[in-house]
Amino acid sequence: MKHEHQGHRTRLRDRINKEGLDNFQDYQVLEYALTFAIPYKDTNVIAHRLINKFGSFSAVLEADKDELKKFVMSLF
């Protein structure tokens, strides 16, 4: 059975390689970065929730690591 998001990571990576990051929304850049740390999960949802929680892409990157870890773990 084919998953509806099958191939999404590959398409995202290919688009980044072709276009660079300038044409991406912050949540898409974060989503892509999360694919390296969180295998086999929909990182799109996680990226949106992180930005909603912390306020911006840069705030996610600057967040206290323990708070960030606790929040991400609560999503699973």
Side-chain angles (χ1 to χ4, degrees), residues 50-61:
L50 283 166
I51 289 175
N52 287 339
K53 164 78 174 162
F54 293 98
S56 68
F57 178 78
S58 61
V60 172
L61 298 180

Side-chain angles (χ1 to χ4, degrees), residues 5-46:
H5 298 291
Q6 188 171 351
H8 177 68
R9 288 178 182 218
T10 300
R11 290 188 301 276
L12 183 62
R13 182 186 63 240
D14 290 347
R15 186 174 162 216
I16 287 172
N17 287 335
K18 181 180 177 184
E19 299 176 23
L21 294 175
D22 291 338
N23 295 323
F24 283 77
Q25 299 292 319
D26 284 351
Y27 77 88
Q28 293 171 312
V29 177
L30 183 55
E31 172 189 5
Y32 180 66
L34 290 171
T35 66
F36 295 101
I38 306 172
Y40 313 111
K41 291 283 185 186
D42 181 357
T43 55
N44 179 283
V45 172
I46 297 168

